[in-house]
Amino acid sequence: MRPLLFLLLLLNWAAAFGQEKNVLVLPGKLPAAELDIGPYTAFYKDISGDTLPLETIGRQRFSPFNQKPNERTHPSPYTVLVTWLKFTLRNTHPTDTLTLLHYTGRHGLISLYDNPRLMGQTGISLPPQRRPSRFALFLSVPPGAQRTYFVRVVDYAISPTPVWSKLLTVPASIDAEFGPQALGQKLLLVTMSILTGCLFFMCLYALYSVVLTDDRSFLYYGLYTGLCLLFALNCIDSGFGLGLLFPRRMVEGWSPVSINLIGFFYSLFIAEILAIKSDFPPTWLVLRILLGFVAILAVLNVVEWQSARFFFNDYSLYDHVQTIPNLLITGLLIVTLFRSRSPIRYYLISGLLGLAGIGFVYAFLDLYVEDGSPVVNAFINYPYFWIVLCFSIEAFFFLLALAYRGRLIELENSRIQQRYAQDLEAQLAQRTREIEQKSRLLEQQHIRQLETEFEQKLVDTEMTALRAQMNPHFIFNCLNSIKLYTLDNEADKASDYLTKFSRLIRLVLENSRSELVSLQNELEALQLYIELEAMRFKQKVQFSIQVAPNIDQRYLRIPPLLLQPYVENAIWHGLMHKPEGGTVTVEVSQPQESWLHIEITDDGVGRQRAAELKSKSAGKHKSFGMQVTADRIRMINQLYNIQTQTQIVDLVDSFGEACGTKVILQIPV
């Protein structure tokens, strides 16, 4: 009741002693009180963008304060709101100086002029000064003097607050600073500090995750929460007069920049975490265009903020330019979220709807109260609290989305590991079966290889045995011949025979140690053998060895002692039954590169006549030498996987009588 009674007293005093209608007369020192001097205040709206000096303002026509439109219900079309107040005070006390504080509310910049002198400045854009009230300026009226004061109030149209005109005594301002209203401000400060701390820890978590995972989703989320953190710190620093971080910044100046950047990075965050670029290419194209426009707006906001030059004086146009792109981006993201099948879309939708819902309620329903409790007024009437609250809620839901995505990735990795383990087990089982199968195959192949090697060694042993059987056969025949020459006292012939015999023995021994010998060695041994046989039978045996000129005898290789049994058979079975003897002809040709063609021809009695005579020596030779040669050819074919072909042709003359035998050999080379 005390302030109300004092207010009535002052009004009565002013009515009794005031000489001018708009002059407030006061009697020197006053007790603690708060006086609304709206009836004694005039106002003027400066639409020039805060470019007119005080001298020019003083010549303008001021209107009664009660005609001033409410800034909340009548938004200005201009970007910067400049309101000038004018009031006159008279001090009637003869000795006391009237000392008061003028209070207009919380505004960006407040300047008090005692025409033409600037008496002081305060506001959100300036660091706090040591005075009883943050947004009140001292004025003083000497005893018996009258002063006219001008007050300039500057705000951005983005968040206007009502302009008041009140006088406070120093005790009253202290009550305002530390009373119920101050309690509401302190609770608001604590609440915003808690929200700012939450943003700090969310930003710290995101940046640490970027270092660990190099995930762009965490990078965009960290930039988004970091900008929200800077916005909240600026609001606290400037709004509550801390003057710690941004002593020369206006919260309204930083707000458009940070809000555009915040919208830019949270859009990139949602686009990255939902893979809009790959899953919704048309949406990504539109989103890129809108984000480019928002980035341009952010750059323009920075230029406006630093240069104090505004590109849009029409606030309605400015508001549309700033708001429409962000609304389109938010709507586009919400539609995309509903179209998406991602499990984390519900968290993102909750965050966007929380931001849009609270912002809509506060911005469009104009929740501004004047008659509530100081605590309610402090929270509801401070727009940046709601913005920080929206950012905190949205960042929290986005953090839940990241956490749930991490859980989904963990589950997916677990499923992948399980599938990978199952695939490994299946592959291991399959590989085990394949290895077992291959082991069995290798074992079978090894067994077959061993069998083949054994068979080859067996064949080789048999061939060696056969060659070993043929060597004593030759030696026996030759020794008989030497014996005959010795008995007949033919020493020269015996010596010549022994020389050829020794050469033949040397060739036979050398050739018998090899699987294959050159055609030259084989024919040389064959010639020595025929010469020895011709000497034994008193030159009844004639021979001829003919080799085609295109054959390289040193290059071609054949099995050793392959031709001798056939020549021996021709001599003993064909020629020895003819009194006059006969001729053995050996012809070697190579009709094809891979075949060697050998013909052994004799003009003896023929096989049929020889069988009829049943020569004793012939029988022995036939049963031994020819059989051995046939076995050797069979083993050679088996060992080298070739087809050596043998053909025996009985020759007849024009009368149909037997006139010899021809043996044809086809040897692969």
Side-chain angles (χ1 to χ4, degrees), residues 180-439:
Q181 183 176 357
L183 176 62
Q185 294 296 319
K186 291 178 180 179
L187 291 177
L188 177 62
L189 174 61
V190 170
T191 304
M192 293 192 66
S193 299
I194 293 173
L195 296 177
T196 304
C198 294
L199 290 172
F200 170 75
F201 285 108
M202 286 187 280
C203 178
L204 188 64
Y205 165 76
L207 296 179
Y208 182 67
S209 299
V210 171
V211 176
L212 292 180
T213 63
D214 196 23
D215 187 350
R216 284 193 296 180
S217 299
F218 284 105
L219 175 62
Y220 295 144
Y221 179 78
L223 293 173
Y224 158 69
T225 52
L227 289 168
C228 292
L229 174 64
L230 290 177
F231 178 86
L233 287 174
N234 192 26
C235 291
I236 293 174
D237 193 39
S238 301
F240 294 93
L242 302 180
L244 299 177
L245 299 176
F246 308 96
R248 301 185 62 184
R249 295 290 191 266
M250 290 179 62
V251 68
E252 289 87 353
W254 167 246
S255 295
V257 180
S258 58
I259 289 175
N260 282 324
L261 291 178
I262 287 169
F264 182 83
F265 284 112
Y266 93 70
S267 302
L268 288 179
F269 164 73
I270 295 178
E272 179 68 23
I273 200 172
L274 282 183
I276 293 179
K277 182 177 180 180
S278 58
D279 295 345
F280 305 95
T283 303
W284 172 246
L285 178 60
V286 177
L287 185 62
R288 286 180 59 187
I289 296 174
L290 293 174
L291 288 177
F293 193 73
V294 170
I296 294 174
L297 287 177
V299 173
L300 294 179
N301 293 145
V302 172
V303 174
E304 288 182 339
W305 178 30
Q306 297 297 328
S307 65
R309 295 182 58 189
F310 304 101
F311 296 97
F312 302 98
N313 285 327
D314 187 347
Y315 180 73
S316 60
L317 178 61
Y318 174 84
D319 183 49
H320 286 86
V321 170
Q322 293 282 352
T323 305
I324 290 177
N326 290 285
L327 289 178
L328 290 175
I329 290 174
T330 303
L332 183 64
L333 291 177
I334 291 176
V335 172
T336 306
L337 285 171
F338 279 105
R339 292 174 56 197
S340 174
R341 298 300 178 187
S342 175
I344 64 175
R345 66 184 184 277
Y346 300 109
Y347 296 100
L348 301 176
I349 291 173
S350 300
L352 287 177
L353 291 181
L355 174 67
I358 296 177
F360 173 81
V361 169
Y362 187 82
F364 292 94
L365 298 185
D366 194 22
L367 294 180
Y368 186 85
V369 296
E370 296 183 1
D371 300 328
S373 66
V375 175
V376 174
N377 291 347
F379 280 87
I380 294 181
N381 295 341
Y382 189 54
Y384 295 107
F385 163 73
W386 297 97
I387 297 176
V388 173
L389 178 63
C390 290
F391 289 157
S392 302
I393 293 175
E394 185 179 47
F396 175 72
F397 279 105
F398 287 174
L399 182 62
L400 291 180
L402 284 172
Y404 188 59
R405 188 193 67 161
R407 177 58 179 167
L408 293 177
I409 293 175
E410 182 181 352
L411 293 175
E412 182 64 23
N413 290 337
S414 177
R415 286 192 292 268
I416 291 174
Q417 290 178 355
Q418 291 178 358
R419 289 196 299 267
Y420 183 67
Q422 293 174 357
D423 292 341
L424 284 180
E425 291 177 358
Q427 292 177 6
L428 180 60
Q430 182 179 359
R431 291 292 296 173
T432 302
R433 291 192 297 268
E434 291 177 355
I435 291 173
E436 291 176 353
Q437 184 178 2
K438 289 182 178 180
S439 298

Side-chain angles (χ1 to χ4, degrees), residues 22-24 26 37-43 62 65 84-90 100-104 111-115 137-139 141 146-152 164-167:
N22 290 328
V23 177
L24 177 60
L26 297 174
I37 62 171
Y40 300 93
T41 304
F43 82 96
F62 282 71
F65 189 76
W84 284 88
L85 304 181
K86 178 182 178 183
F87 59 91
T88 303
L89 299 180
R90 178 185 299 172
L100 297 171
L101 291 98
H102 186 260
Y103 180 71
T104 57
S111 304
L112 176 64
Y113 296 89
D114 182 1
N115 191 17
L137 293 171
F138 277 106
L139 56 85
V141 182
Q146 177 175 307
R147 295 284 190 271
T148 298
Y149 298 96
F150 290 87
V151 179
R152 183 183 64 176
W164 300 324
S165 183
K166 296 181 181 181
L167 290 179

